Amino acid sequence: MKVLNALLLSRRPALAFVLVGLFWGCFAAYIPDLKIRLNVSDATFGLLLLCNALGLLSSMWLAPKIDNILGNRGLQIGTALFAATLFLPGFASGAFTFGLSMAIVGAASGLVDVLMNARVSELEQVHKRPLMNGNHGMFSLGYAAAAVVSGFAREAHVEPGVAFLIVGSLILGLSSCLEMKIYKSPIAKPGSFSYPTGPIVLCGLIVLVAFMTEATVETWSAIHIERTLMGRATEGALGPAMLGITMALGRFFGQSISETFSETKVIICATCVAATGAVIAALAPTPVLAYIGFGTLGLGVSVIGPLGLALVGKYVPDHLRTETISRVTVLGFAGFFLAPTMMGLISEVQGLRVAFLCAALFSLLSIPLTLLLSRFSKVRVSLSKV
């Protein structure tokens, strides 16, 4: 009931999370087909996916200004623009056009990511309760559903461009429901607060590690199952689908956990679970065991990113919330595009099994970062009492 109530309170941004998840789930399922069409190596494909970061980072820095200009219709217009770009990667025939199209999609996706996370953070302050995990769970739900359906579409020989065009049309139609009131407080007086650089950097790095871990499965799980474990297209699509399903479950369950236990304890436990899942997936001899690994990873990593975004909202005055979430999102979402490149380079040299083992080791960085943030918080509280 807590989850349903949280989603009811934040129903408009929750719908935006679903819509964004629909495209990225479809995209993840079609990655093997896109790579074959481009006829490039693992390393080159990873670098092409990095082009997404160029557009994403630029739009995220501009998102606070765009948010102020568009006002209550910002999320609605941003989602419509995102939908209008989605056909581009599917019809790209060469490496250059694919890279350019991914940069455009990244720019639109980055804008929507900042706006919908900012709206949830505002609602958290208004209703005085955590809402972030439930909303990110809706992204995972949309992602999983789209990945499963896209697997069957691939088996039916539906081309990527056609699939992306259908998803984009659906998102465009539903974007009309996303106009919502923005809750903003008066600007604080000069000197009444200090700019929260420390929390922004630490929360951003925690989200970065979480999203890099998540992105390794999103981008390379289908290829790992189809190439390393000799699975079919539908079996390959179940890799990212399993991630999406377990991440949705983890985030909905995490909605209740985050109201009971401290963020520090939750993130540390979740990191250990995610690392274990990555190891299982790396060493799996069959697709079924790989699914177990990807599912375990999804359960663990599911709550880390949302908690990192929610934490920074607690450190800032209301009128800076969109700006600071934008900064954290810039750092965090870079993980979605650094990870494919890193995995591609490692896979080119050592194979995908070693690449997933490296992802497991990297995911453990969330633990010292969280402990450092916790210490920073205690020092901050102590100073405020002096």
Side-chain angles (χ1 to χ4, degrees):
M1 291 302 295
K2 287 184 177 181
V3 174
L4 293 177
N5 183 249
L7 293 175
L8 182 62
L9 292 174
S10 56
R11 53 191 176 276
R12 286 186 175 83
L15 175 59
F17 274 93
V18 172
L19 297 181
V20 174
L22 288 177
F23 171 70
W24 290 114
C26 181
F27 181 82
Y30 269 97
I31 278 178
D33 287 358
L34 293 170
K35 186 176 180 298
I36 291 172
R37 172 184 289 183
L38 296 173
N39 192 28
V40 294
S41 66
D42 287 357
T44 301
F45 188 66
L47 289 172
L48 287 174
L49 293 176
L50 186 62
C51 293
N52 210 331
L54 299 177
L56 179 138
L57 294 177
S58 62
S59 70
M60 284 182 172
W61 283 111
L62 294 172
K65 294 181 179 179
I66 297 174
D67 191 28
N68 288 331
I69 294 171
L70 298 179
N72 294 349
R73 296 176 66 86
L75 187 58
Q76 180 185 46
I77 294 173
T79 305
L81 289 173
F82 174 62
T85 68
L86 301 186
F87 72 94
L88 295 172
F91 289 107
S93 57
F96 175 79
T97 54
F98 180 78
L100 180 61
S101 67
M102 291 305 295
I104 295 171
V105 171
S109 179
L111 174 61
V112 178
D113 282 322
V114 171
L115 296 182
M116 64 189 185
N117 278 291
R119 297 293 86 83
V120 174
S121 185
E122 290 165 9
L123 290 170
E124 284 186 325
Q125 301 307 308
V126 170
H127 298 290
K128 305 301 179 185
R129 59 170 300 182
L131 302 170
M132 198 67 78
N133 263 308
N135 278 267
H136 280 254
M138 295 303 289
F139 169 89
S140 300
L141 204 60
Y143 178 96
V148 171
V149 173
S150 297
F152 287 106
R154 286 182 61 208
E155 287 280 353
H157 305 291
V158 176
E159 291 295 317
V162 175
F164 296 169
L165 188 60
I166 293 172
V167 173
S169 299
L170 176 62
I171 294 173
L172 183 61
L174 292 174
S175 66
S176 60
C177 305
L178 296 179
E179 182 178 356
M180 66 175 292
K181 179 182 177 182
I182 296 178
Y183 298 92
K184 289 191 176 180
S185 298
I187 297 177
K189 296 179 180 179
S192 62
F193 66 92
S194 58
Y195 196 78
T197 304
I200 289 175
V201 173
L202 290 173
C203 289
L205 290 175
I206 291 170
V207 177
L208 169 67
V209 172
F211 286 174
M212 282 191 73
T213 306
E214 178 182 339
T216 60
V217 181
E218 289 187 358
T219 310
W220 292 98
S221 59
I223 294 177
H224 180 52
I225 290 170
E226 293 179 31
R227 189 173 69 191
T228 309
L229 304 178
M230 307 303 292
R232 302 192 316 274
T234 48
E235 291 175 316
L238 281 178
M242 181 62 71
L243 175 77
I245 292 168
T246 55
M247 286 189 69
L249 292 174
R251 284 169 171 171
F252 292 144
F253 187 54
Q255 181 65 46
S256 299
I257 291 178
S258 61
E259 298 185 33
T260 306
F261 299 98
S262 71
E263 291 89 348
T264 300
K265 291 180 179 178
V266 174
I267 291 176
I268 290 174
C269 291
T271 297
C272 294
V273 173
T276 300
V279 172
I280 294 172
L283 302 179
T286 64
V288 173
L289 287 177
Y291 299 148
I292 293 173
F294 294 140
T296 304
L297 185 151
L299 282 174
V301 80
S302 62
V303 299
I304 301 174
L307 284 177
L309 288 166
L311 277 170
V312 76
K314 297 180 180 181
Y315 283 97
V316 301
D318 291 346
H319 72 281
L320 283 178
R321 185 162 292 110
T322 301
E323 180 181 343
T324 52
I325 286 180
S326 172
R327 303 299 181 252
V328 170
T329 309
V330 165
L331 284 171
F333 275 77
F336 279 117
F337 312 108
L338 293 176
T341 304
M342 179 187 74
M343 290 286 288
L345 293 172
I346 296 173
S347 175
E348 187 77 13
V349 178
Q350 295 291 338
L352 279 172
R353 292 190 185 277
V354 174
F356 277 111
L357 288 175
C358 291
L361 290 174
F362 184 80
S363 69
L364 295 174
L365 290 176
S366 290
I367 295 176
L369 289 169
T370 303
L371 293 174
L372 186 58
L373 180 64
S374 177
R375 181 178 292 274
F376 179 91
S377 175
K378 291 177 181 178
V379 171
R380 186 172 178 268
V381 171
S382 298
L383 290 175
S384 67
K385 293 179 180 179
V386 175

